[in-house]
């Protein structure tokens, strides 16, 4: 059986490989990048409409004890739910988290404009890696799909305040957009290497629960893809525009922000340990 340390190493290798692939495709001349079918006249937005019309597929890591809480974790660009299964399985084997079920959705494949039209798993189209132009329709379609997963858990008997939504990179952006605009108050949000999408529009979309939701945010200070200063700007927006305060002491409410020196676009051991500590506070076992 692989040790937790070995699983974290494997995860980091996979995420770093994915980041390298994205960087490579971004830098390659467009004429040598595999594109969406040249015979198709559909735009990226039209392709998304067809793709997102169906219910998301997902991977489940079942609770080992009585199921009383759920974590829905949304992967990043080019990945799948399988990429985070080692972390979910590792945490699920920990006595403090055996009551938690993990739902790991798979993004549909679609052409990504910033990658020269390369077809890959993506939650929305990305026009450029400066993230200056948001695919709002694609993002909102994904929000609806993630809310369907949340609804399914509620219908199965799990209160919304016992559901945590989380994500990495592109999945983290979708976590913020879904978790802070949903009509349901969730138990918390996990943001790893993410950014706040939709700029000024975001404020008008937020719900009344935004100030009361626990948020964990971890970000590498050496991240070359989703840069650390973007995370800092997002943090300032949450605090100054939305009035989300800093989590203090043992309080579960508010933003718990961590910057990790030397960490690139990946999930580090220290970050995962901090997230685990935070998760233990927001989703403790119940009788």
């Amino acid at each position: 059986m692989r040790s937790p340390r070995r699983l974290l190493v494997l995860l980091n290798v996979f995420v770093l490989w994915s980041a390298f692939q994205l960087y490579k495709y971004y830098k390659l001349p467009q004429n040598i990048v595999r594109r969406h079918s040249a015979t198709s006249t559909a735009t990226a937005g039209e392709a998304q409409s067809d793709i997102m019309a169906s219910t998301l597929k997902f991977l489940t890591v079942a609770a080992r004890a009585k199921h009383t809480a759920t974590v829905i974790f949304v992967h990043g660009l080019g990945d799948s739910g399988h990429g985070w299964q080692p972390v979910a399985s590792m945490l699920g084997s920990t006595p403090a988290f055996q009551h938690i079920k993990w739902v790991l959705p798979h993004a549909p494949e679609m052409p990504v404009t910033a990658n020269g039209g390369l077809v890959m798993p993506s939650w929305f189209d990305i026009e450029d890696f400066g993230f200056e132009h948001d695919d709002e329709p694609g993002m909102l379609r994904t929000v609806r799909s993630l809310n369907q997963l949340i609804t399914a858990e509620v219908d199965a008997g799990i209160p919304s305040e016992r559901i945590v939504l989380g994500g990495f990179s592109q999945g983290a952006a979708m976590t913020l957009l879904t978790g802070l605009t949903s009509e349901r108050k969730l138990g918390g949000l996990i943001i790893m290497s993410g950014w706040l999408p939709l700029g000024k529009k975001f404020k008008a979309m937020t719900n009344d629960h935004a100030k009361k939701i626990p948020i964990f945010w971890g970000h590498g200070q050496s991240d070359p893809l989703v840069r650390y200063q973007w995370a800092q700007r997002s943090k300032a927006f949450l605090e100054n525009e939305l009035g989300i305060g800093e989590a203090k002491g043992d309080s579960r409410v508010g933003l718990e922000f961590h910057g990790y020196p030397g960490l690139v676009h990946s999930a580090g051991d220290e970050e995962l340990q901090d997230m685990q500590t935070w998760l233990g506070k927001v989703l403790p076992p119940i009788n």
Side-chain angles (χ1 to χ4, degrees):
M1 183 176 184
R2 289 173 176 164
S3 67
R5 176 77 180 182
R6 175 62 174 165
L7 290 173
L8 294 181
V9 170
L10 289 174
L11 172 64
N12 285 337
V13 168
F14 177 83
V15 173
L16 286 170
W17 178 87
S18 298
F20 172 73
Q21 295 300 315
L22 296 180
Y23 178 81
K24 180 179 69 173
Y25 285 126
Y26 180 46
K27 292 298 183 182
L28 282 175
Q30 290 191 357
N31 62 348
I32 62 173
V33 175
R34 182 173 69 87
R35 290 178 174 78
H36 185 50
S37 175
T39 61
S40 173
T41 58
T43 65
E46 290 168 342
Q48 284 184 351
S49 295
D50 295 336
I51 292 168
M52 297 300 292
S54 60
T55 304
L56 288 177
K57 296 180 180 179
F58 57 88
L59 172 71
T60 299
V61 177
R64 299 195 177 194
K66 181 182 178 182
H67 175 211
T68 62
T70 298
V71 173
I72 301 171
F73 197 88
V74 188
H75 64 75
L77 179 65
D79 197 1
S80 74
H82 294 286
W84 287 88
Q85 184 179 11
V87 172
S89 297
M90 179 193 69
L91 293 179
S93 66
T94 304
F97 299 125
Q98 293 190 0
H99 61 290
I100 298 176
K101 167 187 171 184
W102 292 73
V103 177
L104 309 173
H106 308 302
E109 290 196 350
M110 62 180 66
V112 176
T113 301
N115 281 339
L118 180 74
V119 176
M120 62 195 319
S122 184
W123 296 110
F124 52 86
D125 188 31
I126 296 177
E127 187 172 329
D128 60 79
F129 285 111
F131 305 108
E132 295 180 356
H133 304 91
D134 289 320
D135 172 23
E136 183 175 350
M139 290 180 175
L140 295 181
R141 279 189 289 270
T142 295
V143 166
R144 289 194 292 271
S145 295
L146 294 177
N147 273 319
Q148 288 178 355
L149 295 181
I150 294 169
T151 297
E153 292 303 303
V154 173
D155 289 347
I158 303 300
S160 64
E161 293 190 6
R162 295 284 293 171
I163 299 173
V164 164
L165 181 64
F168 176 83
S169 191
Q170 191 189 40
M174 293 314 309
T175 293
L176 283 168
L177 185 58
T178 304
L180 296 180
T181 64
S182 172
E183 62 183 16
R184 294 188 175 96
K185 181 180 182 294
L186 299 179
L189 306 178
I190 299 171
I191 310 301
M192 302 176 76
S193 302
W195 75 96
L196 189 77
L198 297 183
K200 292 293 184 180
K201 288 185 178 181
F202 196 100
K203 184 176 182 179
M205 299 170 65
T206 54
N207 57 39
D208 295 335
H209 309 307
K211 297 178 183 180
K212 304 173 184 177
I213 298 178
I215 303 173
F216 173 88
W217 193 314
H219 209 107
Q221 294 181 4
S222 298
D223 191 332
L225 293 176
V226 182
R227 299 186 182 279
Y228 186 63
Q229 57 264 38
W230 300 345
Q232 291 178 308
R233 286 202 299 265
S234 298
K235 174 179 180 288
F237 186 93
L238 293 180
E239 294 173 339
N240 301 329
E241 297 294 331
L242 302 186
I244 296 176
E246 178 184 355
K248 297 180 179 179
D250 293 331
S251 174
R252 299 181 300 169
V253 176
L255 176 62
E256 182 178 317
F257 186 92
H258 298 265
Y260 300 97
L263 183 64
V264 292
H265 197 63
S266 180
D269 292 354
E270 183 181 359
E271 180 181 21
L272 289 171
Q273 182 59 56
D274 288 340
M275 184 268 282
Q276 181 175 344
T277 300
W278 175 88
L279 188 61
K281 291 191 295 183
V282 300
L283 290 183
I286 59 176
N287 296 326

